Structures are given as C-alpha cells and as structure tokens.
C-alpha cells in the first residue's frame, strides 16, 4: 500500500531533497539565527531546497553573508526568500518527474524600501548577486503572489548600495 500511495501522490518529489547534501541549501541561513529562539527551525525541511553547488557557494552565499553584516549594523531587516518554479507544461502525473526550482529569490525590505534579487539556478560560482536585481512586480506576476498587499514599497538604491551593489 505504501508504494501505491507514493506513486499516486501528485506532490511526490516536490519537497524531497537530493541524496547528496552538497546539492541542498537553507533558504534562511543558520548563521542568521544562531543564539535566537528560532535556531531549531533552520533545519526544518521547509527551509531546505535543492540548489546547484556553484550558486550555493557563490552568489547565494555572498548575498547571505552581506545580509548578515547589514543586519548587525541595522539590528533589523526583513527578508523573504524562496524557490521560483516556472512550469513549462502540465503533466498528468507530476510524481514521475523531479521538479526543481528555475531560480531562487530574496526580497530585502527596510521600512518602505526594498531590493529584489532573482538568482537563476545556472549562475556560476563567481557571478555577482548584484547583477541579479529584479522588479518586484515581475516576480509577483511570475509567482501569482502579492507579497505586500496594500503597501507601496519602492526599489531602494540606498539599500542596494548598502548591499555592496553600486549603481
């Protein structure tokens, strides 16, 4: 019965991580939550996502490190992060396919200003996260999500500069 249940599950494969730990990453990094009450949550499966090693060890890690530095200087910064799935065609049985994110996003918010990054999965280890700045409206359209209903947030060149992305 267990095999039948798994083979008929339309969501099978979506939340599963690759066998090798080198291919997965935390959406919210452990270093951001050390010595906080949220520390146990960083190892939840909902915080893990398959991610190619060059992206994980390059632009993704660099952005996380810079965010950690910025939070230490500001005390508070809000970050929304997650995978971006772009499904090209519908499948009768999605359990037969492994569905991986096409890209990963981070929205960095301070007060009424923000910066949006969308990092494609094929970024190289030495590519810059600064070249991956995106438009919030475009990300929301691709995801069919309104992240900030009723709020008018503006793209911030100052926040971008504080993230070491100079324009």
């Amino acid at each position: 019965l267990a095999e039948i249940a798994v083979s008929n599950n339309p969501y099978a494969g979506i939340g599963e991580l690759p066998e090798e730990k080198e291919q997965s990453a935390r959406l919210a990094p452990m270093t951001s939550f050390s010595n906080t009450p949220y520390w146990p949550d960083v190892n939840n499966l909902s915080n893990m996502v398959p991610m190619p090693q060059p992206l994980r060890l390059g632009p993704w890690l660099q952005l996380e490190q810079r965010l950690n530095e910025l939070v230490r200087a500001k005390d508070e910064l809000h970050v929304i992060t997650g995978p971006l799935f772009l499904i090209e065609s519908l499948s009768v049985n999605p359990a037969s396919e492994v569905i991986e994110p096409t890209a990963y996003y981070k929205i960095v918010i301070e007060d009424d200003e923000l910066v949006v990054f969308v990092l494609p999965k094929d970024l190289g280890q030495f590519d810059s996260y600064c070249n991956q700045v995106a438009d919030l409206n475009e990300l929301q359209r691709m995801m069919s999500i309104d992240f900030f209903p009723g709020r008018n947030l503006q793209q911030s060149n100052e926040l971008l500069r504080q993230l070491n992305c100079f324009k």
Side-chain angles (χ1 to χ4, degrees), residues 114-128:
L114 59 76
V115 175
V116 178
F117 296 95
V118 175
L119 293 86
K121 71 176 183 178
D122 59 353
L123 274 183
Q125 186 169 346
F126 302 105
D127 290 332
S128 172

Side-chain angles (χ1 to χ4, degrees), residues 26-108:
R26 287 177 177 81
L27 292 170
M30 293 180 75
T31 55
S32 296
F33 294 95
S34 62
N35 298 320
T36 73
Y38 308 106
W39 174 252
D41 296 335
V42 296
N43 284 318
N44 288 345
L45 186 58
S46 60
N47 188 40
M48 303 293 285
V49 64
M51 183 180 289
Q53 188 173 2
L55 174 59
R56 182 176 56 84
L57 296 179
W60 188 260
L61 178 61
Q62 293 165 12
L63 179 54
E64 287 180 343
Q65 289 172 339
R66 184 60 194 136
L67 285 169
N68 284 341
E69 292 170 8
L70 198 54
V71 166
R72 279 193 294 277
K74 293 183 171 282
D75 290 329
E76 186 173 298
L77 201 62
H78 300 273
V79 179
I80 300 173
T81 186
L84 177 60
F85 295 92
L86 298 178
I87 300 170
E88 294 177 8
S89 63
L90 297 177
S91 173
V92 175
N93 185 8
S96 64
E97 304 174 24
V98 175
I99 301 172
E100 292 185 0
T102 303
Y104 307 83
Y105 66 89
K106 283 192 184 286
I107 305 171
V108 183

